[in-house]
Amino acid sequence: MKSIYKILTILVLVGGLTACNDQLDVVDPNSQTTYDFGDSESELQEAIIACYNRIRLEGTFARVGYTMDAVRGDEVWNSSQQWYITYDNLNSPGTIGIGDEWIYRDCYHVVNRTNFVLSKVDGVQMSEDSYNEIAGQALFLRALAYHQLATYYQTVPLVTDYATYGSLNTLYASNNTQDEIFDQVELDLTAAMNMLPSRDEGGEWAKGRATCGSAAGYLARALMFRHKFSEAYTVLKDIIAGKYGQYELTADYGDNFREGAAYENNKESLFEVQFMDYGTGGTDDEWTPVNISSEASQGQAVESNYASHEFGSWADLAGSPWLYNLFKKENCTDGRLDPRLYWTLVTYEDEYNTYTDLKTAAYPNGDPRSNTVYQTEITETPTSNGDNGGISIAKWTNARNNIYSSITVGLRCGVNLRLMRYSDVLLRAAECENEINGPTQTAIDYINIVRNRVALEDLQLEDFPTADHLFEQIANVERPKEFGCENGRGIDLLRWGFFYDDGRLNQLIEHAYYKRDGTASTEELTEETADDSSFKYYYKGHEYFPIFQNTLNANPNLVGNSANKNEDNGPAFREKYSIHPVVDLD
């Protein structure tokens, strides 16, 4: 009997242990990993949304990933003289997180997630349309991230295979050349351009998802960065002809900077970053790349850097007096100020008080309270920074929207960032036409479409005797007035070679003059009257931002770029491309 009891006890124990093993094998559906996720169309659709989430981080476009290019340009200066100072002065030592690390880190978050989608999509059964939509969006977003990386950091690792992350031997990638990065960007965008629906499809494709038009627009940008003007011009003309969806300028320039469904994802927008309207998100500002709180605020913090101290912002960045005076040099055909000044910089102008019941592009907002900022009547220009002064920036803020009465600093602003607008297509088409054929009426016509929207007088071909003259008009008049304080000016300066020509570098120094006298100085500044110019401190090679030293320390295969080495990129640039000399348009 004792033997029987022993046998029964053993059987019970074995059975119990077996049952425990079965329970341990059960997969928790709330704790999925990349190994057991992404094997169905619905899961890949969720993964694509997760990819879009990564372009809304601080290092991609929610703050520094956007503003760092603006401060690298000549239209914006660091009015706090703290947070952005080494990037404004183009001499970062490579040990500061905001520009050297955060943008790099968060762009690779995008690369990582898009690579995951692309590693899975070929193995999932779905319709051809669904495949093209999923893969096309992943390719566009990966190209967008690499476009940022190549134009911020010059030489970075090119990782396109998700399996690379599975081994330390392959995880520590070495640098690729900037040309190799742009080759991949062009491949990805060309594929996406031929796979994605257009905005004309409606639904989600007209409400912020990447479309074939988005890909075509960014492909033209990528091609022009390497002076492939003929190839870019073909793409731009196809966009204008409607091949990738119907685009046109909004009647009111200001509609590109307003918050709300009536204005965002409008007919002028080729691609924009989506943020929830003010007050509709949660209360958690997620500054880290974890970004998983169900109470995340879901807004951008560009406003917190651009707006005025007087209305509650951090007041880190201000518009340059050069940009202000550029607007003041040319009035509309009826004598009014260029309305783009109103939407770009927060200045008090007497005539804004007369803009009532005139809802056209030539009259900013049809509101009799046109000198109202954050629902406060202003009688003088507010200062950007309480200590150093400066002109605060209106774009991507609520200053001219007046939906709410004050700034809540952090990731709270709901204005979508329009990364590419149809006006950019037109001005780039004019630039390509000028580069290929010299000044022509066709190039002038493209520019005049943009000028007509804001009731400026047409340019005349006879006023531009050479390609250099028309280029000067495009580069230093038309583009800064249309895109002032937007992301992209720094990238333009790179592709034009302005850092590699003494005349152009002196011009940048003059454009960037500012005063630290605690006022919103709007006077035209000279070397004698200015307190400083950020470009006076430029170190060769620092037109790109250095790769973070801790990143270099952690990766034995990675080496520094031109900024880490203080290396002059001028000789290599001039060997491949030409630089337009400075010409006087007066």
Side-chain angles (χ1 to χ4, degrees):
M1 291 294 293
K2 289 182 180 179
S3 298
I4 292 173
Y5 289 138
K6 288 180 180 178
I7 293 170
L8 289 172
T9 301
I10 292 169
L11 289 173
V12 169
L13 288 171
V14 171
L17 289 171
T18 303
C20 288
N21 285 337
D22 288 343
Q23 290 174 3
L24 290 173
D25 286 341
V26 174
V27 175
D28 181 355
N30 296 314
S31 299
Q32 290 176 298
T33 71
T34 53
Y35 294 104
D36 51 37
F37 186 80
D39 296 324
S40 68
E41 180 181 339
S42 62
E43 289 181 346
L44 287 178
Q45 294 285 10
E46 291 180 39
I48 278 294
I49 294 172
C51 295
Y52 283 103
N53 173 268
R54 299 290 90 177
I55 67 170
R56 300 168 69 256
L57 298 180
E58 184 176 20
T60 44
F61 294 104
R63 184 168 60 147
V64 297
Y66 190 92
T67 54
M68 203 66 75
D69 183 73
V71 78
R72 172 168 58 173
D74 50 358
E75 305 163 341
V76 174
W77 66 282
N78 177 208
S79 52
S80 72
Q81 294 288 284
Q82 296 175 9
W83 185 248
Y84 288 86
I85 191 65
T86 62
Y87 304 103
D88 189 24
N89 290 344
L90 296 160
N91 58 18
S92 171
T95 56
I96 303 171
I98 64 169
D100 305 338
E101 178 189 25
W102 296 357
I103 300 170
Y104 187 96
R105 174 198 68 198
D106 290 353
C107 283
Y108 274 109
H109 274 278
V110 180
V111 171
N112 180 37
R113 292 195 177 188
T114 53
N115 280 343
F116 170 76
V117 172
L118 294 167
S119 75
K120 293 278 190 173
V121 69
D122 285 337
V124 176
Q125 283 286 102
M126 64 182 83
S127 69
E128 183 178 0
D129 285 348
S130 294
Y131 176 89
N132 285 340
E133 290 169 4
I134 292 170
Q137 289 174 92
L139 288 166
F140 172 80
L141 292 171
R142 184 170 73 180
L144 177 65
Y146 271 123
H147 183 274
Q148 290 291 98
L149 287 164
T151 52
Y152 275 128
Y153 300 107
Q154 186 187 30
T155 59
V156 296
L158 179 61
V159 181
T160 58
D161 184 358
Y162 190 75
T164 297
Y165 308 123
S167 164
L168 285 178
N169 292 329
T170 53
L171 181 61
Y172 289 128
S174 58
N175 307 66
N176 287 82
T177 67
Q178 189 180 58
D179 278 331
E180 289 170 335
I181 301 297
F182 267 99
D183 285 345
Q184 187 65 49
V185 167
E186 290 176 19
L187 285 172
D188 284 357
L189 290 172
T190 300
M193 183 175 71
N194 292 309
M195 297 169 79
L196 289 170
S198 79
R199 60 174 288 118
D200 299 349
E201 189 90 3
E204 292 298 311
W205 304 104
K207 295 180 180 178
R209 287 187 182 263
T211 64
C212 57
S214 309
Y218 262 89
L219 177 59
R221 280 187 176 178
L223 291 166
M224 289 180 72
F225 190 85
R226 295 197 285 177
H227 293 213
K228 297 181 179 182
F229 296 112
S230 294
E231 294 174 57
Y233 196 21
T234 298
V235 176
L236 292 164
K237 286 191 287 188
D238 283 342
I239 297 172
I240 293 167
K243 181 176 179 178
Y244 303 108
Q246 299 300 315
Y247 295 98
E248 57 184 285
L249 301 181
T250 58
D252 193 324
Y253 178 78
D255 285 355
N256 294 299
F257 311 101
R258 289 185 168 109
E259 178 183 311
Y263 309 107
E264 293 167 330
N265 302 304
N266 61 42
K267 60 187 178 181
E268 186 169 338
S269 177
L270 274 76
F271 187 69
E272 60 194 69
V273 186
Q274 312 294 310
F275 295 101
M276 291 184 68
D277 289 351
Y278 177 78
T280 60
T283 57
D284 292 347
D285 284 342
E286 291 194 311
W287 298 107
T288 73
V290 176
N291 210 244
I292 58 173
S293 171
S294 60
E295 292 300 316
S297 48
Q298 307 284 342
Q300 46 99 334
V302 173
E303 176 179 60
S304 297
N305 285 150
Y306 273 5
S308 168
H309 246 169
E310 295 183 35
F311 299 99
S313 89
W314 292 322
D316 284 310
L317 302 174
S320 69
W322 166 70
L323 180 60
Y324 172 79
N325 284 285
L326 190 62
F327 283 116
K328 297 282 281 191
K329 289 182 188 302
E330 183 181 17
N331 284 359
C332 301
T333 51
D334 64 355
R336 302 273 180 159
L337 287 174
D338 187 330
R340 294 175 297 187
L341 169 60
Y342 179 89
W343 288 100
T344 303
L345 301 172
V346 180
T347 60
Y348 176 85
E349 309 291 342
D350 286 335
E351 71 180 59
Y352 287 163
N353 291 323
T354 67
Y355 290 179
T356 60
D357 303 319
L358 295 165
K359 293 187 177 182
T360 74
Y363 307 94
N365 67 354
D367 188 331
R369 301 171 301 143
S370 290
N371 272 312
T372 298
V373 178
Y374 290 96
Q375 299 183 15
T376 297
E377 197 77 24
I378 61 170
T379 56
E380 60 183 16
T381 298
T383 57
S384 169
N385 185 274
D387 295 322
N388 299 307
I391 308 167
S392 68
I393 300 169
K395 280 182 178 173
W396 317 127
T397 77
N398 185 55
R400 300 305 195 185
N401 283 276
N402 275 293
I403 297 171
Y404 42 97
S405 60
S406 63
I407 297 168
T408 303
V409 292
L411 295 161
R412 304 301 176 93
C413 185
V415 181
N416 284 1
L417 300 180
R418 282 70 155 180
L419 295 190
M420 188 168 193
R421 299 189 282 111
Y422 185 59
S423 56
D424 191 29
V425 172
L426 293 168
L427 291 183
R428 284 177 180 275
E431 186 179 341
C432 287
E433 170 70 21
N434 187 51
E435 293 293 338
I436 297 165
N437 300 313
T440 65
Q441 189 60 49
T442 299
I444 295 292
D445 289 344
Y446 286 133
I447 298 170
N448 284 340
I449 293 171
V450 177
R451 291 172 61 86
N452 290 165
R453 191 244 300 264
V454 289
L456 292 183
E457 187 176 347
D458 281 350
L459 297 183
Q460 302 300 320
L461 179 59
E462 56 265 28
D463 293 330
F464 301 96
T466 70
D468 290 334
H469 284 80
L470 188 55
F471 173 81
E472 195 75 37
Q473 180 75 22
I474 294 169
N476 283 323
V477 179
E478 304 303 334
R479 289 194 68 84
K481 289 205 289 186
E482 179 68 18
F483 307 112
C485 305
E486 295 182 43
N487 180 277
R489 178 66 175 179
I491 298 171
D492 281 344
L493 301 183
L494 290 176
R495 69 186 180 87
W496 292 331
F498 280 16
F499 293 94
Y500 315 129
D501 176 85
D502 288 344
R504 287 300 182 186
L505 193 53
N506 286 333
Q507 186 181 61
L508 293 179
I509 291 172
E510 293 171 0
H511 289 177
Y513 283 141
Y514 60 83
K515 296 184 81 169
R516 291 185 294 260
D517 61 358
T519 72
S521 171
T522 57
E523 64 184 286
E524 285 198 80
L525 298 174
T526 65
E527 185 176 8
E528 290 73 29
T529 59
D531 288 335
D532 222 335
S533 170
S534 55
F535 285 88
K536 289 166 68 173
Y537 302 96
Y538 160 66
Y539 290 176
K540 291 187 184 300
H542 285 255
E543 64 275 19
Y544 295 98
F545 301 137
I547 298 172
F548 194 44
Q549 188 59 50
N550 287 358
T551 303
L552 295 174
N553 294 342
N555 183 348
N557 297 323
L558 195 63
V559 298
N561 61 16
S562 66
N564 295 101
K565 302 172 184 176
N566 296 320
E567 187 175 81
D568 185 2
N569 292 305
F573 185 94
R574 290 191 297 269
E575 199 172 295
K576 293 197 295 185
Y577 310 125
S578 61
I579 303 171
H580 286 278
V582 176
V583 297
D584 188 356
L585 292 175
D586 295 332

